[in-house]
Amino acid sequence: MNPWQQQGDSRGISIGAHAAPPSPALLGAGSPAVSTPTTHLGLLVDDDALYLRTLQRSLARHGVETVTASDAASALSVARQSRPDFALIDLKLGQDSGLTLIQPLRAIRADMRILLVTGYASIATAVEAIKQGADDYLPKPANIPTILRALGEDDEELPEAEGEDSTPEMMTPLSRLQWEHIQQALHETGGNISAAARLLGMHRRSLQRKLTKRPSPGR
């Protein structure tokens, strides 16, 4: 198999395509070399499979290799095997919270750069993420340049991906913002639905109905 082609295994853990740096001969005499990101391997953790594949392909086009996981347990397993340079973690992983991964990942590799992403960037959750040891906290959706800058890349060092649209990404849909707002209320009330409903100013049954209709990251 070509070593630059995408690989995967039976557990659903995938490794993104690794873009080879351009050779001086192909650049031609006098042409400026294209810098590639200094990060080598990343861990992407999200319970939305389509979002994971899309993000992995986008990062691969910028020369960033990644492995993926869809829940907290598999994320730690992959991290122990690959010891990634950075981790990009969604706040909500099904019944898990991305916050619970920060300290275990830091224990696996102390210099790992850890970024937490969410569709609702509340101050309370951001403070908690930093307190737990995250390096940065990004609103979702975050475009690739934003992610790479959060990983410590300078704008001038970011290679342009062929055919990539430079237009801004869509804002977070209202349904997603509402969901994350509800989750924040549940977090602040220790998971108590009645208390969260009072905090949100809605009836308990209305909150329960909304909890059964979790939106996808793109809705």
Side-chain angles (χ1 to χ4, degrees):
M1 178 182 291
N2 187 322
W4 307 116
Q5 291 179 339
Q6 184 168 323
Q7 304 175 44
D9 64 21
S10 59
R11 296 167 297 176
I13 299 167
S14 60
I15 300 178
H18 188 174
S23 67
L26 292 177
L27 289 172
S31 298
V34 179
S35 299
T36 55
T38 55
T39 50
H40 301 293
L41 180 66
L43 169 62
L44 309 178
V45 188
D46 199 294
D47 60 352
D48 186 279
L50 178 59
Y51 175 78
L52 268 185
R53 289 195 299 270
T54 302
L55 180 59
Q56 187 176 49
R57 285 196 298 266
S58 296
L59 287 170
R61 287 197 294 269
H62 286 270
V64 180
E65 183 181 355
T66 56
V67 290
T68 66
S70 59
D71 56 59
S74 59
L76 292 177
S77 177
V78 174
R80 292 187 187 100
Q81 295 175 27
S82 59
R83 296 179 59 82
D85 298 281
F86 72 88
L88 189 68
I89 309 166
D90 192 14
L91 175 64
K92 292 299 174 183
L93 301 170
Q95 299 301 314
D96 299 325
S97 168
L99 291 171
T100 64
L101 281 173
I102 297 174
Q103 292 183 356
L105 287 175
R106 186 69 71 201
I108 291 172
R109 179 169 173 175
D111 65 344
M112 186 188 304
R113 189 159 181 81
I114 300 175
L115 311 179
L116 197 74
V117 295
T118 182
Y120 183 79
S122 72
I123 294 176
T125 309
V127 169
E128 182 64 22
I130 300 303
K131 185 188 300 183
Q132 293 289 333
D135 293 293
D136 212 335
Y137 185 85
L138 304 177
K140 199 175 183 181
N143 60 31
I144 298 302
T146 298
I147 292 173
L148 294 179
R149 279 192 290 272
L151 293 173
E153 303 298 335
D154 295 329
D155 287 347
E156 296 180 355
E157 295 179 351
L158 300 181
E160 292 187 6
E162 183 178 351
E164 185 166 290
D165 191 354
S166 59
T167 57
E169 296 189 24
M170 292 177 57
M171 294 181 68
T172 304
L174 289 176
S175 59
R176 183 69 182 184
L177 290 175
Q178 183 186 58
W179 172 265
E180 295 289 353
H181 192 53
I182 289 172
Q183 295 302 313
Q184 178 62 23
L186 287 170
H187 174 74
E188 293 180 1
T189 57
N192 187 305
I193 294 180
S194 296
R198 288 194 296 272
L199 185 62
L200 293 167
M202 66 173 65
H203 195 278
R204 185 177 189 276
R205 290 180 181 175
S206 297
L207 178 56
Q208 287 178 316
R209 283 196 298 270
K210 290 180 181 296
L211 288 172
T212 65
K213 302 175 181 179
R214 178 181 180 178
S216 67
R219 294 181 181 177

